[in-house]
Amino acid sequence: MRATKLTVAALAVVAGLSLTACENGNDIAEPPKPSASAPEQGQDGPAATATADCRTDELEVTASDVTIEGDTVGTVAVEFANGGDRDCTLTGYAGVDLKTNAGSLSAERTGEEAPSVTLGNGKSVWFAVTYPVNDSGGSGARITGLVVTPPNQTKSVTLDWPGTGSLPVTDGSGTPVKVGPIGSAGQGG
């Protein structure tokens, strides 16, 4: 019974960590709008419902290197473009893993707050993945791919890595790979 409680608790923590939030990008995306009106005071009826989550299959996911020359931290901007036939909502952080010749490396969240973003058909929103630049002179850990899971989804997309080819190998005291919230890159933010 204790093992079951621990398993359920662990699953709850993992589920909570996989939730995400988004930042509003002026003309790029709008705050979520209810799809139904809330009932008037004292009137019976359903509460307002929000736009549904964006599904992985509806999103076109791309990544590009936006590192400024000379920076000690590299930056990759990941774009989610709504290719579905409906408005959808992204809330929070995407899941991000770097595939390397030494195994997978999960990006840490930056901890920034991020409100929900509603994407109309054809609209986009970006987020940043930052990583330490390998200026050690060694070969480091070679990056072979970028795995992105949209917020509140379980299906991932694997992309080619557009950033520098390797990460420095450290004793764990170096700069971690980090993921920013939805809306943290690409809109001048």
Side-chain angles (χ1 to χ4, degrees):
M1 184 64 161
R2 188 171 196 289
T4 302
K5 286 181 183 177
L6 289 176
T7 302
V8 171
L11 287 174
V13 170
V14 169
L17 291 175
S18 68
L19 295 177
T20 56
C22 308
E23 183 176 308
N24 184 6
N26 299 335
D27 64 333
I28 310 266
E30 303 172 6
K33 295 179 184 162
S35 59
S37 299
E40 291 182 16
Q41 188 80 15
Q43 188 180 33
D44 292 330
T49 57
T51 306
D53 288 340
C54 296
R55 295 184 306 259
T56 303
D57 293 337
E58 296 175 310
L59 297 170
E60 297 169 24
V61 185
T62 58
S64 57
D65 184 12
V66 294
T67 303
I68 297 171
E69 189 174 333
D71 279 356
T72 58
V73 175
T75 305
V76 167
V78 179
E79 177 184 10
F80 286 138
N82 183 358
D85 59 358
R86 65 180 181 92
D87 290 358
C88 63
T89 301
L90 291 168
T91 304
Y93 287 78
V96 173
D97 292 303
L98 298 185
K99 291 170 48 176
T100 75
N101 61 332
S104 289
L105 174 68
S106 294
E108 297 177 11
R109 294 179 180 185
T110 62
E112 297 171 68
E113 234 181 274
S116 294
V117 172
T118 297
L119 289 180
N121 187 23
K123 297 292 184 180
S124 294
V125 68
W126 295 260
F127 67 91
V129 177
T130 59
Y131 61 95
V133 173
N134 185 9
D135 57 6
S136 67
S139 61
R142 188 173 46 85
I143 304 171
T144 60
L146 173 65
V147 181
V148 178
T149 307
N152 300 318
Q153 298 296 300
T154 57
K155 184 177 182 181
S156 299
V157 175
T158 301
L159 305 170
D160 290 335
W161 175 249
T164 59
S166 67
L167 297 172
V169 177
T170 68
D171 60 3
S173 63
T175 304
V177 176
K178 291 192 172 191
V179 57
I182 301 299
S184 63
Q187 297 89 238

